[in-house]
Amino acid sequence: MEDRLDKDSDIPIHHQLYLILEKKIVEGEFQPNSIMPSEAELQARYGISRITVRRAISDLEKYGYVKKKKGVGTYVLPQKKYRESFEFRSYSEETKSRGNVPSSIILDCGEIEADGRVSEVLHVKPGEKVGYLKRLRLANGRITALHETFISLHFGFHIVPEDFDATTSLYDFYERHGVELGYADETIEARMPTNQVRTEMYMREPQALLYRERISYLEDGTPVEFSQNYDKADQQKYFIHMERSKKKG
């Protein structure tokens, strides 16, 4: 939609304005956390009544695009991004694709003995050493997730603190050691965090998180890593394409 109102259209003026402002938010003209033009500015720009402007702003707030704050104005809310179910990307790649800057706080890094679940998933013996990496994941300096990853050491490398810092991508680390991931299986569920997870993620109040378990493999099916991830649910949105099977006969 163009940045103008068609007063001869059957579409109500307030909804036309809503669509214009929504487009500016989605396409990034109005940046997250920025203050939108005031009602008076919008009224003057589009030559419409303040009641019409308020109706459009109210609809934007209803659908999660903006938030009114007394004494400040109307500011743009960060928008959830769709994560396509068939695209296999690292946290760093996903975060950069949204125009944000990824970083990490490393809580633990090294090698530990595999317990029953880890040994089963990674096809190693119980008690065998595996790599271990526990990180707080940040976007633009704000905590978005807690990721705990167990890594097979059958590929000729070790996991040591010296190899990882705030900006290190684990997938880049794999590629530097000749390990090319082929695909992954992931399960997702809503889960209330434990007290430990809440503490590590600096959560003041309990809230449901998206818990994701991912097993990543080489093309030939050899498991490389097993990750347990807690993502803040208010910052994620998934898109899944589904088709209904055709009945035979």
Side-chain angles (χ1 to χ4, degrees), residues 21-32 34 76 79 81:
L21 298 177
E22 178 195 40
K23 185 172 185 287
K24 290 177 182 293
I25 292 171
V26 170
E27 294 186 350
E29 184 174 340
F30 293 159
Q31 289 291 308
S34 67
V76 179
Q79 296 302 299
K81 301 296 183 179

Side-chain angles (χ1 to χ4, degrees), residues 5-130:
L5 301 174
D6 182 359
K7 297 184 179 180
D8 295 323
S9 172
D10 292 333
I11 301 174
I13 296 298
H14 71 84
H15 190 63
Q16 290 186 48
L17 180 59
Y18 166 87
L19 293 175
I20 289 172
L21 298 177
E22 178 195 40
K23 185 172 185 287
K24 290 177 182 293
I25 292 171
V26 170
E27 294 186 350
E29 184 174 340
F30 293 159
Q31 289 291 308
N33 301 311
S34 67
I35 302 298
M36 285 186 57
S38 68
E39 292 179 357
E41 290 173 323
L42 292 173
Q43 182 183 357
R45 180 183 302 178
Y46 294 103
I48 54 180
S49 70
R50 181 162 291 191
I51 292 176
T52 300
V53 172
R54 287 179 177 173
R55 177 72 183 275
I57 297 297
S58 178
D59 286 347
L60 287 171
E61 186 172 29
K62 176 181 177 181
Y63 292 108
Y65 289 102
V66 302
K67 183 72 174 178
K68 294 179 181 178
K69 191 171 184 179
K70 190 174 181 179
V72 176
T74 301
Y75 67 93
V76 179
L77 294 173
Q79 296 302 299
K80 299 177 183 178
K81 301 296 183 179
Y82 283 108
R83 183 181 295 176
E84 297 181 5
S85 60
F86 301 109
E87 191 168 5
F88 179 26
R89 296 188 294 184
S90 69
Y91 175 84
S92 296
E93 291 167 338
E94 290 174 350
T95 303
K96 289 177 181 177
S97 73
R98 303 170 192 156
N100 298 320
V101 179
S103 61
S104 301
I105 297 174
I106 299 175
L107 302 181
D108 200 352
C109 179
E111 297 178 1
I112 63 174
E113 294 183 356
D115 62 16
R117 171 75 168 136
V118 172
S119 66
E120 177 184 3
V121 170
L122 294 182
H123 298 176
V124 300
K125 297 177 181 178
E128 182 177 332
K129 291 285 188 178
V130 295

Side-chain angles (χ1 to χ4, degrees), residues 210-245:
L210 283 181
Y211 174 72
R212 300 184 297 113
E213 282 192 359
R214 176 185 287 186
I215 307 172
S216 304
Y217 303 87
L218 302 181
E219 285 287 356
D220 65 5
T222 302
V224 176
E225 68 170 27
F226 169 52
S227 61
Q228 298 174 311
N229 307 319
Y230 292 88
D231 295 351
K232 288 188 175 180
D234 62 350
Q235 299 175 24
Q236 303 293 342
K237 182 187 288 188
Y238 284 81
F239 170 81
I240 300 175
H241 173 75
M242 295 181 288
E243 295 183 5
R244 186 171 174 79
S245 61

